[in-house]
């Protein structure tokens, strides 16, 4: 990085963007408007006269985001090619929630200027909904669900796809924590995050392998306002698990330097279902720390991050592991069966600005240690996965309306078994992708398209009893190659309408379990055998999207057809191994079809009321007509929110909201599944932003599953043991900012 910065340093000048932010209707200057440049990780607030100024900017094209409570977020593209750029901005009042700049690949874009269907969820909303994890939080979005093994172990599901068919991006690089296993959860919290962005549908062109169902992009918290040091502390309480979560952080920024430190912890006891029966060993806890240091040196921007995470997740080993009330209800003891997951992650995100070009270099190292302890302090499964990432992208603006991107993405992984039991072999994995795409804006039409080619090598080694001499599955060295692409359009005929059409593909090589399993599978009492001759799994998706937005209401509708070639699935055989039925991994073409619709209504006549509703459905079958497993049931969600005390100076952003989830019966289960009946879930929450002397306080209190419904979620793996999902849960959130 130092050599590159020296090469580029002589060719830069300092630029400045300034202006006044006003109300579009009254022309009154707006104070304390957030002015933020996502690409440069810097921002400021407008002063008393609505004035703002951004200094020492490198030459280039940027999106500047102007956001203020009660106004529509405005995203303005600017070319810092003059010494001083005058940029006055007028914001329009609205009570409809508006989108921020989305991070798409490594680009920053207005959501209406990309053909992808992208939704986001802020940390504030996650906490006001009483979410227990990131997977739990995004499951409330249209088209989203979670595959769970209790409250602690869960992973996101996008349009019926999960695990190795969903890519997670964290701290600028791809995150991998052995997600091929159903009972291996995502294991991430919202500590230190600003929001989560979900890209629905294949995104191999920008993200590479495993982005077949979509991408979960975790966006870190914004840096401090230039010239300030800011701190905050948060606390969350949960009644059902007698659980808590807390975090605290401090961050500061100058015009050329920004930094942050944040730590967090959480602890939950066993949960109870709607019948008030305790689900033994569903407890979990975790500890997190995040450090960041970023700087700008002329035309070089660098953001360097470190993540530490240590989690324990209790899990069931037998179907009858429910105990009576004489045992400690809220024990945190992990002497029973549990997973221990340790994560150390280092990343460096770098951008070099050179006229109309940007060169991005993202580097990362991710050390993941996953242990399974079966009780009595005995470690059974102990896997270490070391991942090293290097991404290089060159973005060039041909004009103010056209740009092209080209890049290389590389990843190298080493999987090592250290425990007495192995379920996948020791292996080395390497993949490399080369891609290029074009984006052009023609008046009201935005076009995107490109191609990508990837190669992947998987080499396994003799490990334990998995692939020893004479066994059915032998060590191998295999190469996979695939061509992918995308083409799409976003049409904005007016300020109200947005139409999208997108064609995209995705791919993944079979994972180590699908290629090399040869033994009893953990917790399922199945003997599973992989197939080293499996082919690349690839999909092709066609999607239509329409959206309408006005001051009083907005609505969206999306429909998709996602066709898979060589879809990998597990099937039973008639053979047994010492009483265990033998299952084999097979491949067959398959198809997932579905869509989502949503509406947000905020009538001017009743300005204190807001109503939202959504509907999601997905159908999944093989070409032979068999139902695919873990396809979520249709879901309808409605919420009504009342905003109170709008004229109060002391109490602001005060709300009360109530919602209902109606999940329909799933009567088309996969081969190893059971049908699940329909159910209703009610929730309620109240909250406010309180000004108390010189201290500001944000708080909310609410209840999920208010009526203590007893139900099975179709994607809960506990349902096979006759165990229901969580019953009534009262939650409390408190956030204290210190400036």
């Amino acid at each position: 990085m130092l050599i590159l910065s020296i090469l580029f340093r002589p060719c830069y000048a300092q630029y400045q963007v300034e202006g006044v932010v006003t109300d579009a209707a009254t022309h009154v200057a707006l104070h304390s408007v957030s002015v933020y440049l996502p690409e440069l990780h810097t921002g400021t607030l407008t002063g008393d006269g609505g004035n703002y100024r951004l200094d020492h900017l490198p030459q280039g094209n940027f999106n500047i985001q102007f956001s203020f409570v009660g106004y529509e977020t405005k995203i303005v593209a600017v070319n810092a090619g003059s010494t001083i750029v005058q940029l006055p901005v007028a914001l329009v009042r609205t009570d409809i929630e508006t989108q921020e700049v989305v991070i798409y690949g490594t680009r920053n874009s207005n959501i209406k200027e990309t053909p992808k269907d992208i939704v986001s969820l802020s940390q504030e909303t996650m906490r006001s909904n009483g979410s227990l994890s990131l997977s739990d939080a995004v499951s409330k979005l249209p088209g989203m669900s979670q595959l769970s093994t209790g409250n602690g172990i869960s992973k996101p599901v996008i349009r019926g796809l999960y695990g190795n068919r969903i890519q997670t991006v964290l701290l600028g690089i791809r995150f991998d924590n052995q997600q091929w296993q159903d009972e291996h959860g995502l294991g991430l919290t919202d500590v230190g995050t600003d929001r989560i962005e979900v890209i629905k549908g294949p995104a191999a062109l920008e993200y590479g392998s495993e982005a077949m169902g979509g991408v979960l992009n975790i966006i870190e918290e914004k840096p401090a306002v230039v010239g300030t040091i800011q701190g905050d502390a948060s606390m969350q309480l949960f009644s059902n698990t007698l659980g808590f979560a807390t975090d605290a952080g401090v961050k500061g920024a100058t015009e050329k330097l920004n930094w942050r430190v944040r730590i967090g912890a959480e602890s939950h006891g066993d949960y109870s279902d709607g019948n008030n029966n305790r689900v033994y060993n569903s407890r979990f806890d975790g500890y997190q720390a995040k450090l960041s240091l970023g700087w700008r040196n002329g035309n070089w921007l660098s953001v360097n991050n470190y993540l530490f995470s240590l989690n324990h997740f209790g899990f069931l080993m037998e179907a009858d592991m429910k105990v009576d009330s004489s045992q400690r209800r809220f024990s945190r003891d992990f002497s029973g069966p549990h997973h221990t997951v340790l994560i150390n992650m280092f990343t460096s995100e770098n951008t070099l600005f050179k006229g109309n070009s940007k060169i991005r270099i993202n580097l990362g190292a991710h050390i993941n240690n996953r242990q399974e302890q079966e009780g009595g302090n005995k470690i059974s499964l102990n896997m270490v996965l070391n991942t090293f990432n290097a991404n290089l992208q060159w973005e060039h603006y041909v004009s103010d309306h056209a740009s092209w991107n080209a890049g290389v993405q590389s990843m190298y992984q080493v999987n090592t078994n250290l425990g007495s039991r192995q379920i996948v072999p020791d292996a080395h994995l390497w993949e490399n992708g080369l891609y290029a795409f074009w984006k052009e804006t023609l008046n009201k039409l935005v076009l995107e398209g490109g191609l990508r080619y990837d190669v992947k090598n998987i080499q396994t080694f003799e490990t334990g009893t998995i692939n020893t001499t004479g066994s059915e599955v032998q060590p191998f060295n295999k190469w996979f190659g695939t061509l992918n692409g995308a083409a799409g359009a976003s049409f904005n005929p007016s300020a109200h309408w947005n139409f999208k059409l997108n064609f995209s593909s995705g791919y993944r090589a079979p994972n180590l379990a699908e290629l090399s399993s040869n033994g009893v599978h953990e917790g399922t009492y199945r003997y599973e055998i992989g197939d080293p001759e499996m082919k690349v799994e690839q999909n092709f998706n066609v999607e239509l999207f329409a959206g309408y937005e006005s001051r009083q209401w907005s609505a969206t509708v999306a429909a998709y057809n996602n066709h898979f070639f060589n879809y990998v699935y597990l099937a039973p055989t008639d053979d047994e191994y010492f009483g265990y039925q033998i299952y084999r991994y097979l491949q067959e073409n398959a198809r997932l079809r579905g869509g989502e619709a949503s509406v947000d209504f905020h009538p001017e006549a009743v300005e204190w009321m807001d109503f939202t509703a959504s509907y999601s459905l997905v159908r999944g079958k093989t070409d032979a007509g068999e139902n695919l497993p873990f396809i979520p049931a249709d879901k309808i969600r409605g919420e009504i929110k009342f905003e109170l005390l709008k004229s109060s100076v002391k109490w602001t952003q005060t709300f009360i909201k109530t919602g209902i989830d109606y999940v329909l019966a799933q009567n088309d289960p996969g081969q190893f599944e059971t049908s699940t009946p329909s159910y209703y879930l009610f929730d309620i929450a109240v909250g406010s932003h309180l000004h108390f002397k010189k201290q500001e306080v944000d708080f909310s209190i609410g209840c999920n599953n208010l009526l203590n419904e007893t139900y099975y979620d179709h994607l809960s793996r506990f349902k096979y043991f006759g165990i229901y999902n969580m019953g009534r849960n009262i939650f409390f959130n408190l956030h204290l900012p210190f400036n």
Side-chain angles (χ1 to χ4, degrees):
M1 292 302 98
L2 181 60
I3 295 174
L4 289 172
S5 68
I6 293 173
L7 291 174
F8 278 78
R9 189 172 181 179
C11 304
Y12 80 90
Q14 294 181 348
Y15 298 92
Q16 177 181 303
V17 177
E18 62 182 24
V20 179
V21 181
T22 59
D23 184 298
T26 65
H27 307 294
V28 173
L30 298 177
H31 174 259
S32 297
V33 175
S34 172
V35 184
Y36 181 57
L37 283 82
E39 281 188 285
L40 295 180
H41 296 267
T42 188
T44 186
L45 298 175
T46 58
D48 292 335
N51 299 287
Y52 74 91
R53 188 174 71 188
L54 300 165
D55 291 319
H56 304 292
L57 305 182
Q59 182 182 6
N61 296 271
F62 307 102
N63 284 307
I64 304 179
Q65 177 180 295
F66 299 85
S67 54
F68 193 52
V69 176
Y71 288 82
E72 179 180 349
T73 296
K74 191 162 188 175
I75 301 165
V76 181
V78 61
N79 187 336
S82 303
T83 304
I84 300 177
V85 177
Q86 295 293 332
L87 186 63
V89 172
L91 298 184
V92 178
R93 279 190 173 274
T94 183
D95 289 304
I96 299 294
E97 185 175 338
T98 58
Q99 297 283 353
E100 300 195 25
V101 173
V102 294
I103 313 298
Y104 177 37
T106 55
R107 296 170 291 161
N108 294 265
S109 175
N110 187 323
I111 197 168
K112 291 184 178 181
E113 296 178 358
T114 171
K116 289 291 186 183
D117 187 358
I118 305 175
V119 294
S120 66
L121 186 67
S122 68
Q123 184 199 69
E124 180 183 5
T125 301
M126 290 185 243
R127 295 192 173 183
S128 69
N129 289 338
S131 303
L132 290 166
S133 65
L134 289 187
S135 299
D136 184 36
V138 298
S139 68
K140 297 183 182 297
L141 294 171
M144 300 293 296
S145 310
Q146 62 173 324
L147 178 68
S148 64
T149 310
N151 294 322
I153 304 175
S154 67
K155 57 180 64 184
V157 179
I158 305 177
R159 293 176 172 175
L161 299 170
Y162 66 94
N164 280 114
R165 298 184 178 104
I166 299 295
Q167 188 181 130
T168 299
V169 177
L170 178 63
L171 300 177
I173 66 169
R174 177 172 154 191
F175 175 78
D176 191 342
N177 68 338
Q178 305 275 19
Q179 63 263 38
W180 46 265
Q181 192 87 332
D182 290 349
E183 55 271 33
H184 292 176
L186 182 64
L188 297 175
T189 73
D190 65 3
V191 171
T193 65
D194 177 64
R195 66 190 186 277
I196 304 173
E197 292 179 351
V198 180
I199 301 174
K200 301 177 185 178
L205 178 61
E206 298 82 9
Y207 292 93
S209 176
E210 300 184 358
M212 305 183 74
V215 175
L216 199 72
N217 194 6
I218 301 171
I219 309 298
E220 294 301 300
E221 61 185 305
K222 293 183 177 70
V225 173
V226 170
T228 68
I229 295 178
Q230 299 172 310
D232 70 281
S234 298
M235 179 181 67
Q236 300 169 269
L237 302 175
F238 304 90
S239 68
N240 191 290
T241 61
L242 202 65
F244 74 87
T246 183
D247 68 276
V250 61
K251 57 186 178 181
T254 64
E255 290 179 345
K256 295 187 177 182
L257 182 72
N258 65 80
W259 55 270
R260 71 158 173 168
V261 178
R262 183 165 294 276
I263 57 174
E266 65 177 334
S267 178
H268 295 266
D270 300 335
Y271 81 83
S272 294
D273 62 21
N275 294 323
N276 296 318
N277 290 322
R278 173 186 174 189
V279 179
Y280 177 65
N281 213 35
S282 58
R283 64 200 66 170
F284 63 100
D285 68 16
Y287 308 90
Q288 302 85 32
K290 287 183 176 179
L291 308 175
S292 293
L293 178 63
W295 61 80
R296 281 190 290 140
N297 181 12
N299 56 352
W300 176 36
L301 169 71
S302 182
V303 180
N304 303 277
N305 309 286
Y306 169 66
L307 165 68
F308 167 84
S309 176
L310 175 64
N311 293 88
H312 302 94
F313 304 102
F315 62 88
L316 302 180
M317 290 294 289
E318 303 288 347
D320 59 352
M321 290 190 73
K322 292 187 288 187
V323 299
D324 60 38
S325 58
S326 63
Q327 298 197 35
R328 288 186 298 161
R329 170 68 179 85
F330 297 109
S331 172
R332 264 62 173 180
D333 178 48
F334 283 97
S335 59
H338 67 279
H339 290 293
T340 297
V341 182
L342 174 64
I343 297 171
N344 282 283
M345 195 170 183
F346 306 84
T347 72
S348 180
E349 304 170 75
N350 300 273
T351 307
L352 297 168
F353 300 90
K354 176 70 173 178
N356 290 325
S357 292
K358 302 173 188 175
I359 297 177
R360 295 185 174 92
I361 304 172
N362 287 2
L363 306 172
H366 175 199
I367 303 167
N368 178 272
N369 178 214
R370 180 177 290 273
Q371 298 179 359
E372 179 187 311
Q373 302 186 18
E374 297 182 350
N377 296 318
K378 178 184 178 182
I379 298 176
S380 172
L381 187 70
N382 189 354
M383 296 184 295
V384 176
L385 180 66
N386 294 330
T387 304
F388 305 94
N389 301 80
N391 302 333
L392 171 65
Q393 183 193 61
W394 182 11
E395 180 179 5
H396 180 71
Y397 288 83
V398 179
S399 68
D400 290 341
H401 305 289
S403 65
W404 57 262
N405 290 258
V408 177
Q409 291 182 332
S410 298
M411 185 177 75
Y412 178 68
Q413 293 182 306
V414 178
N415 185 70
T416 306
N417 287 276
L418 303 176
S420 59
R421 186 167 65 89
Q422 298 91 27
I423 53 178
V424 295
D426 294 346
H428 291 176
L429 303 91
W430 174 85
E431 60 182 275
N432 195 69
L434 178 67
Y435 64 93
F437 57 89
W438 177 272
K439 179 178 180 179
E440 185 164 0
T441 303
L442 304 173
N443 194 9
K444 299 178 180 181
L445 181 66
V446 180
L447 301 174
E448 284 187 5
L451 291 173
R452 178 186 182 108
Y453 185 75
D454 289 84
V455 293
K456 183 167 185 174
N457 174 254
I458 302 177
Q459 182 179 9
T460 66
F461 304 95
E462 187 170 309
T463 307
T465 59
I466 296 177
N467 52 8
T468 54
T469 303
S471 66
E472 184 171 341
V473 179
Q474 293 294 302
F476 59 82
N477 188 340
K478 293 185 66 66
W479 288 87
F480 302 89
T482 181
L483 180 68
N484 287 275
S490 179
F491 180 50
N492 300 282
S494 69
H496 300 299
W497 287 98
N498 176 225
F499 299 96
K500 298 182 181 185
L501 173 63
N502 191 46
F503 302 88
S504 57
S505 67
Y507 79 99
R508 71 178 183 95
N511 61 48
L512 290 176
E514 295 161 344
L515 292 167
S516 298
S517 290
N518 191 18
V520 178
H521 185 69
E522 156 191 4
T524 61
Y525 305 101
R526 298 193 301 248
Y527 193 100
E528 297 182 2
I529 299 178
D531 181 3
E533 300 305 316
M534 280 191 170
K535 302 176 182 178
V536 166
E537 184 180 280
Q538 196 163 15
N539 66 330
F540 182 76
N541 184 68
V542 181
E543 181 173 351
L544 288 167
F545 173 92
Y548 178 85
E549 183 178 313
S550 70
R551 182 172 176 178
Q552 294 191 68
W553 68 284
S554 65
T556 64
V557 60
Y560 58 89
N561 186 345
N562 198 355
H563 189 265
F564 279 76
F565 301 94
N566 304 316
Y567 186 92
V568 179
Y569 66 101
L570 194 62
T573 69
D574 295 329
D575 301 324
E576 289 188 355
Y577 178 83
F578 291 99
Y580 295 101
Q581 187 175 10
I582 294 178
Y583 288 69
R584 291 184 180 274
Y585 282 100
L586 305 175
Q587 288 188 302
E588 187 176 340
N589 294 344
R591 190 183 304 269
L592 288 93
R593 296 169 174 161
E596 302 98 37
S598 65
V599 63
D600 186 340
F601 181 51
H602 192 106
E604 286 184 323
V606 192
E607 64 174 8
W608 41 266
M609 186 186 75
D610 185 55
F611 172 76
T612 60
S614 64
Y615 176 63
S616 308
L617 67 92
V618 59
R619 304 287 184 267
K621 289 182 177 292
T622 67
D623 283 4
E626 297 288 340
N627 294 321
L628 295 179
F630 295 121
I631 298 299
D634 295 5
K635 181 172 66 175
I636 301 172
R637 176 166 177 82
E639 181 180 281
I640 187 167
K641 182 177 181 180
F642 303 98
E643 298 180 3
L644 311 173
L645 305 174
K646 281 198 168 186
S647 60
S648 172
V649 176
K650 187 174 181 179
W651 300 78
T652 60
Q653 303 176 46
T654 303
F655 70 88
I656 177 171
K657 64 180 181 179
T658 181
I660 179 175
D661 287 317
Y662 175 48
V663 181
L664 282 68
Q666 174 54 286
N667 293 318
D668 296 311
Q671 292 184 56
F672 323 124
E673 297 181 301
T674 56
S675 298
T676 47
S678 62
Y679 59 89
Y680 292 89
L681 295 178
F682 291 87
D683 55 66
I684 189 171
V686 298
S688 184
H689 182 84
L690 174 63
H691 300 263
F692 183 73
K693 295 183 179 180
K694 294 184 178 181
Q695 179 62 55
E696 296 183 7
V697 179
D698 291 291
F699 74 91
S700 62
I701 184 170
C703 181
N704 290 327
N705 194 0
L706 181 65
L707 302 182
N708 209 26
E709 177 81 2
T710 301
Y711 71 99
Y712 295 115
D713 185 280
H714 188 71
L715 300 191
S716 169
R717 300 183 68 252
F718 275 4
K719 69 179 183 179
Y720 302 111
F721 303 113
I723 296 174
Y724 295 107
N725 287 75
M726 189 165 69
R728 181 184 298 113
N729 183 39
I730 300 171
F731 60 88
F732 174 75
N733 301 307
L734 180 67
H735 177 239
L736 301 174
F738 307 105
N739 298 320

